[in-house]
Amino acid sequence: MAYKLNFSKQASKALEKIHEPFYSSIKRVINDLAENPRPHGYKKLIDRKGYRIRVADYRIIYDIIDRELIIDIITIGNRRDIYQ
């Protein structure tokens, strides 16, 4: 069962600013989330809503809506800046 991916405006803009080779890796991981929203290495965030998955020095923050089969990509960014 495939989930639908929804990108926030912030996540879309952040993804556009990422250069290769990280861009391809991040896109692959996001597309894989549609098939498995809870892959090996994902973590539930404690101090904010959602989950995170690591891709090198980048983090993808997302939320899972199981009832509607939707993955909301909240934001994407470098690990230094993403949690602020």
Side-chain angles (χ1 to χ4, degrees), residues 26-78:
I26 290 170
K27 284 293 283 185
R28 181 177 35 79
V29 168
I30 289 172
N31 288 330
D32 290 347
L33 286 175
E35 294 300 320
N36 180 11
R38 294 172 181 89
H40 179 72
Y42 89 104
K43 294 217 178 195
K44 174 108 172 81
L45 297 175
I46 295 170
D47 57 343
R48 67 192 273 191
K49 177 179 152 183
Y51 300 87
R52 74 117 169 110
I53 190 79
R54 295 178 358 175
V55 180
D57 284 342
Y58 289 88
R59 304 295 184 265
I60 302 165
I61 307 295
Y62 65 99
D63 196 18
I64 304 168
I65 305 169
D66 285 317
R67 293 182 316 256
E68 300 172 24
L69 297 178
I70 294 175
I71 304 282
D72 280 329
I73 308 296
I74 299 168
T75 189
I76 302 166
N78 192 291

